[in-house]
Every structure is written in C-alpha cells, then in structure tokens.
Amino acid sequence: VYRRDQPQMNRGRFREFFQCDFDIAGTYSSMVPDSEVIKVMVEILSDLEIGDFQIKINHRLLLDSIMAVCGVPEQKFRPICSAIDKLDKSPWEEVRREMVEDKGLAPEAADRIGQIVGYHGHPKEMLETLRNDPNEVLAALRMHPKAKTALDELALLFDFLEAMNALDKLSLDMSLARGLDYYTGVIYEAVLVGGNVGSIAAGGRYDYLVGSFA
C-alpha cells in the first residue's frame, strides 16, 4: 500500500509498505472477537522474531469519559486526544503546553487530564488501580457510565487473554488515543520495546462500520 500522509523515514513510516489486515465481522458475545484478534497479533509478532514487543491497549469509552470528567468541551475532544497521543514521544510539559496554548484548553482541565494519562502498566494491575485508587479524578472517572462499561469490557477481555496466554504482552495505557474517527471500543497498537519505528501493528473495535456501506 501507499501512505497518504507525509512519510517519516527515520521512524519507519515509508511511502510504500506492506500491510496485512485481520478482521472479524458479525455479532458475537462480548469481547470474544476482540480477544481473538489480539491473540492473533501476539502469535504473528512472536513468530516473526522481530524482537521484544508490547501491545498498548485502551478503550474509546474511557477516552470519552476522561474528556467529560476533566471538563474538556465536546468540540475540543479530538484535538485534545491528538495531543494526549503524543505522550509516547513528548514530555507531559510539552503536551500540556500544546493543550493550553495551542488548543485553548483551560489549564485546570489540562491538569486533571495529567492526573490520568500517565497511568500505564500490567492490564489487571492497572484495572485494579482505575477501580480503587482514591485519586479524586480517578474516582470521578470510574463513576462515569461510559467508563463503567469500558472497565467491565476490559476486565472480561483480560480474562480471555489470560486464558489464551497472551496477556503478558499487553500494557493498559491511558495515553493511547487513536482511530478517533471510527473506533468505538477497545483500541490497541504494538510497538517494539526500545525501538524507534512507531507502531508495527494496530487495530480496534469499530461497531457499525460495515453496515455503513450496506
């Protein structure tokens, strides 16, 4: 395939590259197709022997909830999420500056976001933190209806992946924000540990996308 946006050769974003897709369409029990796709990703990346990798995972409904409880106006949702997604490349201070100075977010809203997006780690440990940590912002987050749905779905997903021996490659990362135009649930991307080539695989749930073409 050919990249539509500008290539970045030093980060492995070439103009022309090979891409392989794996999709599941249909109606299934909750988190079953999501867990199967992630398991396939783990198996493929392991068999390729490209080195140690990690799959960062988040949930679109958690992102929606973070924006709501932190006081981000709806029209600024995507610009602010775009800034958050840069935390793997830029320090929080620079991301906060972009939110406030370039995108017009209230400083207090940016500071509340900063209390959440730094969380990342083993999926089940992070889930426990999000559900029980006394931090004021996290307490507000887990009371949001969309966040409750997301946390329940992630808990089920992690149980499935643990049974598949695929959970240890995952990291629940609250700064992951991608595919905002179409993803509706779980989102994830794989990166090489210690590498400098950006994501090597990515995906997520996109409910109703196929139906939009029917």
Side-chain angles (χ1 to χ4, degrees), residues 8 55 159 165-167 186 198 210:
Q8 295 175 280
I55 299 175
D159 283 343
N165 294 317
L167 187 63
V186 173
V210 174

Side-chain angles (χ1 to χ4, degrees), residues 124-144:
K124 289 202 167 185
E125 293 176 1
M126 281 303 309
L127 203 59
E128 182 71 15
T129 297
L130 294 175
R131 283 178 158 169
N132 297 297
D133 193 288
N135 177 287
E136 177 188 353
V137 182
L138 289 184
L141 176 66
R142 59 178 168 263
M143 293 302 295
H144 193 281

Side-chain angles (χ1 to χ4, degrees), residues 42 53-55 122-123 161-162 165-171:
V42 171
F53 64 91
Q54 182 181 73
I55 299 175
H122 187 276
L161 289 171
E162 188 171 51
N165 294 317
L167 187 63
D168 288 343
K169 286 295 185 181
L170 268 64
S171 171

Side-chain angles (χ1 to χ4, degrees), residues 63-77:
L63 291 171
D64 289 348
S65 304
I66 291 170
M67 297 298 104
V69 301
C70 292
V72 178
E74 188 173 344
Q75 68 271 22
K76 293 186 182 293
F77 171 80

Side-chain angles (χ1 to χ4, degrees), residues 24 29-39 157 161 185-186 188 204-205:
I24 298 177
S29 298
S30 179
M31 295 295 102
V32 169
D34 308 77
S35 60
E36 290 182 348
V37 171
I38 294 173
K39 172 62 174 176
L157 175 67
L161 289 171
V186 173
Y188 41 84
R205 168 177 284 267

Side-chain angles (χ1 to χ4, degrees), residues 4-84:
R4 178 172 60 89
D5 55 359
Q6 292 298 317
Q8 295 175 280
M9 304 293 284
N10 62 328
R11 295 186 57 227
R13 294 174 61 86
F14 301 110
R15 172 74 70 188
E16 179 182 1
F17 58 99
F18 291 98
Q19 179 169 314
C20 176
D21 288 347
F22 178 78
D23 300 279
I24 298 177
T27 302
Y28 301 88
S29 298
S30 179
M31 295 295 102
V32 169
D34 308 77
S35 60
E36 290 182 348
V37 171
I38 294 173
K39 172 62 174 176
V40 168
M41 181 190 295
V42 171
E43 289 183 345
I44 290 174
L45 294 178
S46 298
D47 288 347
L48 287 174
E49 298 182 352
I50 55 177
D52 192 18
F53 64 91
Q54 182 181 73
I55 299 175
K56 301 178 181 180
I57 191 166
N58 201 356
H59 199 296
R60 172 61 190 269
L61 295 183
L62 274 180
L63 291 171
D64 289 348
S65 304
I66 291 170
M67 297 298 104
V69 301
C70 292
V72 178
E74 188 173 344
Q75 68 271 22
K76 293 186 182 293
F77 171 80
R78 289 183 182 176
I80 297 305
C81 279
S82 176
I84 291 171

Side-chain angles (χ1 to χ4, degrees), residues 91-106:
W92 164 248
E93 292 74 17
E94 174 58 27
V95 171
R96 184 187 184 280
R97 185 207 62 76
E98 179 181 335
M99 289 180 179
V100 175
E101 297 181 13
D102 298 347
K103 300 184 176 179
L105 184 65

